[in-house]
Every structure is written in C-alpha cells, then in structure tokens.
Amino acid sequence: MGKFLLVTIQVDLYDRLALTLEEDLIQMVHKTGARGVLIDISALSIVDSFMGKIIGNIAAMSSILDAETVVVGMQPAVAITLIELGLPLPGVYTALNVERGMALLTARMPDETEDEDVDDD
Amino acid sequence: MTTNIREQLSIRQERDLIICRNRVKEAAVKIGMGIVNQTKLITAVSELARNMLIYGGGGNVLLETVTRGREQGVQIVFEDKGPGIADINKAMQDGFTTGKSMGMGLPGARRLVSEFFIESTVGIGTTVKIIKWKNG
Amino acid sequence: MTTKTVESLREKHDLILTYWISQREMADDFGGNFNSSDDLKAQSSELLEIVLKTITPENITDPYSPDLQPLFDYISGLTISRAKQGFSPRETATYIFSLKDALLRALGEIITDDTQELYRTTLEVSKFVDNIGITSFETFIKGREEVILSQADEMAELSTPVIKVWDGIIAMPIIGTLDSARTQVVMENLLQGIVDSESSIAILDISGVPAVDSLVAQHLIKTVNAIRLLGADCVISGIRPEIAQTVVHLGIDLSKMVTKATLASALKYSLTTLQLEVRRVQKDKSN
C-alpha cells in the first residue's frame, strides 16, 4: 500500500495551533511523498469556520502535492452544524472511520500496483 | 428550581476563545440542551467571539441562562469597543468579509441560534446578543 | 366573614348542595357528560364539603394561605379527572362558579339583619370561589401543555425510525411534513444511525411526505450534505410522480442527489454500490 499520513486531532485547537498543524502537515506530505492524508477529527466536539478553512486548506494544498485528503470520524452534531453554518467542505473526501478512510484512499490509487511492478524491475 | 448562571468573561487573546466555549458548554449542559443544539450554540459562540477578537480588538462576553415561559435557554451578549460595522445588512450576507476569514461568521452564527440581535455604531463598537433555546 | 357565618354555612351543607344541583340541572350547558345526576351529586357533595371544611374567616381573604393547599390539590385532581371525562374548561369553570350562586343564596338566608355584613361577606365568598376557578383553569392549561409536549416528543421519535435493511445500509421512512424542526430530528437520528451501524448508505424514503416545495427540498439537500460529511452516501427514494412534477415546475435542482422512484430501486442501487447482488437460487431437485 502507498504511503498515507494519519493525523489525529485530540483536543480543540486554538487558531494558532491549527495554523501550525496546517504548516507541519504540508511539510510532511512533501517530505514523505505521501499519496494520501487522513485527518481523524472524531475527538473534535466543534468545527467552526476557522477549523473548516484549515481542513479545506490542507486538502487543497495536499492536492497540489498530488495527495488526497480524507476527513474521518466527524461527529453527527458537528456535521449538522457545519451544514447549517454553510460549510459543506467541498473538495474534501470523508469517511466514517480510519479503516474506511484507508480503503477509500487505496481505492483511489488505481496505478499503485503498477507503480510497484515498475519499481521491482 | 434551577440556579441561574450569570457569568462575565473577557476575550483578549485566542486562548480566551476556548475558555469561553467551555463556559457556554457548561451552561448548555446544565439546562439539559441536546448535543446538536449544544454544538450549534458553541460553534456560533466561537464564530462571534473570534469576530470580536479579530475585528473588535477583543471585548466582553456576558453569559446567562434565561427562561421564557416553559422554555429554558442560554443567552450570550458580545460587546466590543471596536471600529463598529458600517453596513450591517452587508455584513450579514454570506461570503462578505473585510478580513481574511471566509465571511461565514455573522450569517453563519445567525443560522445556528434561535435569536440573533446586532447593534453597531461606527467608532463606538458592536453588540451582538444571541439566545439558543433548549429545544430551539 | 365571621366564625358564626362559617358555622352556619357548614350546617347548611345539604341545603347549599340542593341549590347547587338544581341550578346545575337547569343550566343550558348541563351536558350529557355525567352518566347521571347521581354522579354530579356525589362529586358536588364532596367538593362542597371540602370547601366548607377549608374555609375560615382568615383564609377567605388570603388566597395564598397555606391551609388552602388541600382544597387546591382537590380542585386540581377534580379538573384533571373532568378533563379526562371530556369536559371543556368552560364547563368545569362554569360548574365551579355556579357554586357561588348556591353559597350566596345560603348567605342571604343566614345574614338577614345586616346588609353591610351581607355585602362584605358576599364579596369575600365571591373572590374565594373565583380563586378556586382560577386554580382549576391553571391546572387545565398545565395538563394540556404537558400532554402537548409529551406528544410532540413522542411524535418526533415515532415518526423517524431508523431501519437497518442490510449490512451497511440503513433506511428511514418520513411520514408527514418536513419542516425545519422535523429535519433536525431526521438528521440527528439518521446520522447517529449511520455512525452506530457503521453504514455507508442511508436511504431516505419520502413516500409519506405530502408535498415537496423549495423549503423541503432545501432540508433534503442539507440532510444529504450532512450525511456526506460523515463519509456515507444518501439515496432519496419514494418520489411520487406528482412530486417529480412540482420539483421541476418549481425549478428545484435535485440533480446533485441520487433519487429513486421506490424504496426497492433504492435498495437495488445501494446493493450495487456495495458490490452485492441478489440472485434467484435454482432449487435443488434431488427429491
């Protein structure tokens, strides 16, 4: 399987910390050449427009670096609130849990095995 | 009989946002608000408190539990002495922003709460009052 | 009111009851809710006894006197039982207020020599009975409110059941109008259902929704988007031809949602998405 980065956000982040996360994560995507980023937000009790923007940014930036972003484990109440707030997080893939997120990323890498075959030669 | 909560908080730095959110959550839990309404309320508070910090240079928050008839709710008043908003109608539109945010703050927050009042005078400051009813 | 008057009233219990009952039986609104006059008589006798037992020269002018509590409790109980029997609040209030006429008539017979005293006492008794009437009314309203609240809760719960139709597929039929309060309950239950059952597809069946206007469509779109945020897909099924017509006539864009005519076709679509298929099995004809 290709390289995926998994980030678990454990606590409610205040804004500067969230910005730091964005920066560090993009650095890591670049450094490791990861093809996918999983952001586990199951521990987050709220996602406001700032946090929503950070998630959107990470997805957009990763995409430029040829990596897909999947947000996993969003709480139902958080999802309802984001919709009401007017932030449906377009361009971000979502999955119920880390396992499903991994499966989604793997399914979206059709040329993965071929790449490995080429590497073997 | 429930004891009414009445608490004064000040928003001066980013860290205060988290404290403010936690206090509001405690009040919402205390009156037995459901998880979805709690989340909506706290998100609205986060938006408005951040607005106050970024555009109003910080300010004060008054948190209270209120009762109307049989309905209980949480009321929060945000008061800053910032530059004020020149055109409130414009500021209440989706996507309008003068800063670097997504312009979701005010209109988004209004959709998340039961009642929303805003008053602003250029050069004097802005006051936003929101109420979220327990079942609203 | 003097202690003597109170005692005289207590002595005249039977007479007052007779006045009261006859007045009730003659009244226009004497409904058929009582099985017989006997029921009315038994109930009235009990109430009158408690009123006469409770009333004192002191508490007659003090509606907040603590020794009135047993009377108020009795009135509350009476109101509730009458409400259950189908009496309207007006009927119950009229019934209680009619006690005033009987009491005043008896008072007129007790205080014959002092018009000033009769006037004062009449006022006091009148206010006292009014207070009983108000208590009855308050109880009635409170009871109704409780019924309404609990029914509203029950309806919200009953009307949004989450059904697991397959491993990874849940469905929710919606019956009735989809307003914003309802949408919130639907969303909450459906999203929680998805998380609890780890389902990847949710079918929202709207066969029971009478009409879809732009507001309902907006609620549906919100629900679909919220489900997507969790990482699951939503299929809207049960779209009747009339609904398809209105949706197009109103210019509502549902093209971003997966819509199916019936729950069956939605299930078929879901199974295909999960790479499952349903096949008829050829029976083994060995016997």
Side-chain angles (χ1 to χ4, degrees):
Chain A
M1 199 158 51
K3 284 184 206 152
F4 301 145
L5 286 177
L6 171 63
V7 191
T8 307
I9 304 177
Q10 299 279 14
V11 288
D12 284 340
L13 299 176
Y14 53 93
D15 300 0
R16 214 167 314 139
L17 220 53
L19 283 169
T20 313
L21 171 78
E22 174 188 304
E23 205 181 308
D24 290 353
L25 193 54
I26 294 307
Q27 290 289 346
M28 281 299 279
V29 172
H30 187 261
K31 210 170 92 184
T32 58
R35 300 293 310 278
V37 180
L38 289 149
I39 308 176
D40 182 359
I41 60 163
S42 53
L44 281 191
S45 59
I46 82 156
V47 173
D48 59 13
S49 65
F50 191 85
M51 197 60 210
K53 190 175 86 165
I54 297 286
I55 293 172
N57 286 353
I58 292 174
M61 292 169 189
S62 307
S63 163
I64 298 174
L65 296 173
D66 197 24
E68 309 246 38
T69 304
V70 184
V71 170
V72 301
M74 188 185 289
Q75 297 287 336
V78 171
I80 295 172
T81 303
L82 274 179
I83 294 302
E84 207 67 57
L85 192 61
L87 278 179
L89 298 185
V92 180
Y93 292 103
T94 48
L96 276 175
N97 50 39
V98 176
E99 204 185 326
R100 298 271 178 94
M102 293 274 260
L104 180 70
L105 283 176
T106 313
R108 294 199 61 84
M109 316 271 146
D111 47 343
E112 196 73 18
T113 43
E114 289 167 33
D115 279 356
E116 274 170 16
D117 287 345
V118 175
D119 287 346
D120 286 345
D121 286 347
Chain B
M1 269 294 275
T2 48
T3 24
N4 279 350
I5 296 173
R6 194 187 155 89
E7 216 172 330
Q8 190 99 40
L9 301 158
S10 88
I11 305 285
R12 296 279 169 255
Q13 48 179 331
E14 273 183 11
R15 215 164 307 210
D16 296 338
L17 293 183
I18 305 267
I19 296 168
C20 181
R21 270 160 30 177
N22 290 341
R23 289 287 175 279
V24 172
K25 187 179 175 114
E26 280 163 24
V29 168
K30 191 150 190 182
I31 64 162
M33 193 182 281
I35 181 80
V36 173
N37 279 341
Q38 258 182 52
T39 309
K40 285 184 176 178
L41 172 64
I42 299 164
T43 308
V45 166
S46 187
E47 299 293 333
L48 294 171
R50 180 181 295 105
N51 262 356
M52 197 164 76
L53 190 62
I54 297 174
Y55 304 110
N60 291 318
V61 173
L62 178 64
L63 163 68
E64 281 172 289
T65 53
V66 289
T67 313
R68 181 191 289 162
R70 308 184 130 232
E71 189 74 296
Q72 273 189 299
V74 178
Q75 174 184 296
I76 302 140
V77 181
F78 302 84
E79 209 172 19
D80 71 50
K81 294 190 164 46
I85 301 166
D87 190 341
I88 290 184
N89 287 335
K90 216 167 161 187
M92 290 307 298
Q93 281 165 21
D94 270 325
F96 177 81
T97 176
T98 55
K100 51 180 176 170
S101 76
M102 297 177 93
M104 285 294 169
L106 287 178
R110 179 165 66 176
R111 282 194 293 269
L112 294 176
V113 296
S114 318
E115 284 170 42
F116 186 102
F117 309 95
I118 182 164
E119 215 176 61
S120 187
T121 314
V122 173
I124 307 270
T126 305
T127 305
V128 178
K129 183 171 105 177
I130 57 171
I131 299 175
K132 183 82 184 167
W133 299 112
K134 191 173 141 186
N135 301 310
Chain C
M1 188 189 265
T2 60
T3 318
K4 211 181 122 221
T5 314
V6 172
E7 271 162 19
S8 308
L9 277 176
R10 282 178 190 154
E11 280 161 21
K12 284 180 180 288
H13 172 277
D14 291 348
L15 182 69
I16 299 171
L17 185 63
T18 315
Y19 287 160
W20 193 13
I21 301 288
S22 62
Q23 198 266 2
R24 284 317 301 148
E25 281 171 346
M26 281 190 302
D28 297 339
D29 62 325
F30 181 66
N33 282 318
F34 268 115
N35 293 332
S36 66
S37 298
D38 289 348
D39 281 356
L40 173 65
K41 202 169 172 182
Q43 193 175 75
S44 305
S45 172
E46 206 179 7
L47 173 57
L48 181 60
E49 198 168 317
I50 290 176
V51 168
L52 293 178
K53 206 168 73 190
T54 311
I55 204 165
T56 66
E58 292 77 36
N59 68 22
I60 193 165
T61 51
D62 177 15
Y64 299 106
S65 173
D67 59 358
L68 291 177
Q69 201 52 49
L71 173 63
F72 289 157
D73 288 347
Y74 180 80
I75 292 294
S76 297
L78 177 83
T79 308
I80 291 166
S81 86
R82 285 178 65 103
K84 280 181 185 152
Q85 289 167 49
F87 285 97
S88 73
R90 170 183 281 270
E91 282 168 331
T92 301
T94 314
Y95 167 68
I96 288 168
F97 288 137
S98 66
L99 170 61
K100 201 193 280 182
D101 298 359
L103 282 172
L104 294 185
R105 194 166 153 195
L107 271 183
E109 290 167 17
I110 293 163
I111 309 169
T112 47
D113 46 351
D114 189 345
T115 42
Q116 277 296 322
E117 174 63 16
L118 178 61
Y119 174 67
R120 257 199 312 273
T121 314
T122 303
L123 263 187
E124 284 172 2
V125 168
S126 187
K127 274 191 182 158
F128 188 79
V129 178
D130 287 351
N131 196 26
I132 298 176
I134 291 168
T135 305
S136 160
F137 225 89
E138 281 175 346
T139 312
F140 203 93
I141 290 171
K142 223 173 118 190
R144 277 288 152 98
E145 270 176 10
E146 271 157 24
V147 169
I148 291 168
L149 284 178
S150 72
Q151 278 181 346
D153 286 352
E154 246 172 66
M155 248 169 69
E157 283 304 314
L158 278 179
S159 54
T160 53
V162 176
I163 305 156
K164 182 168 177 169
V165 286
W166 205 269
D167 227 17
I169 306 171
I170 58 168
M172 183 191 271
I174 302 179
I175 318 269
T177 316
L178 199 57
D179 59 11
S180 31
R182 191 84 189 286
T183 307
Q184 166 137 346
V185 180
V186 166
M187 269 204 218
E188 217 176 314
N189 289 359
L190 200 54
L191 268 66
Q192 197 57 53
I194 291 172
V195 171
D196 291 345
S197 64
E198 296 199 346
S199 293
S200 36
I201 298 179
I203 302 170
L204 200 56
D205 188 87
I206 59 166
S207 331
V209 177
V212 175
D213 56 13
S214 51
L215 205 65
V216 173
Q218 214 186 335
H219 291 322
L220 287 176
I221 293 169
K222 270 187 192 172
T223 309
V224 171
N225 285 339
I227 289 172
R228 194 195 72 84
L229 279 183
L230 288 190
D233 288 320
C234 184
V235 183
I236 310 278
S237 76
I239 306 206
R240 287 175 280 121
E242 311 91 88
I243 288 190
Q245 274 180 306
T246 13
V247 163
V248 172
H249 285 156
L250 288 173
I252 300 165
D253 181 16
L254 293 184
S255 63
K256 288 198 183 76
M257 300 199 266
V258 181
T259 48
K260 297 284 163 197
T262 61
L263 183 61
S265 49
L267 183 58
K268 204 167 163 189
Y269 167 87
S270 307
L271 290 171
T272 312
T273 311
L274 294 180
Q275 292 162 326
L276 296 167
E277 63 175 341
V278 181
R279 270 186 306 165
R280 187 187 301 275
V281 179
Q282 205 66 45
K283 264 249 173 100
D284 195 2
K285 288 174 187 157
S286 56
N287 287 345

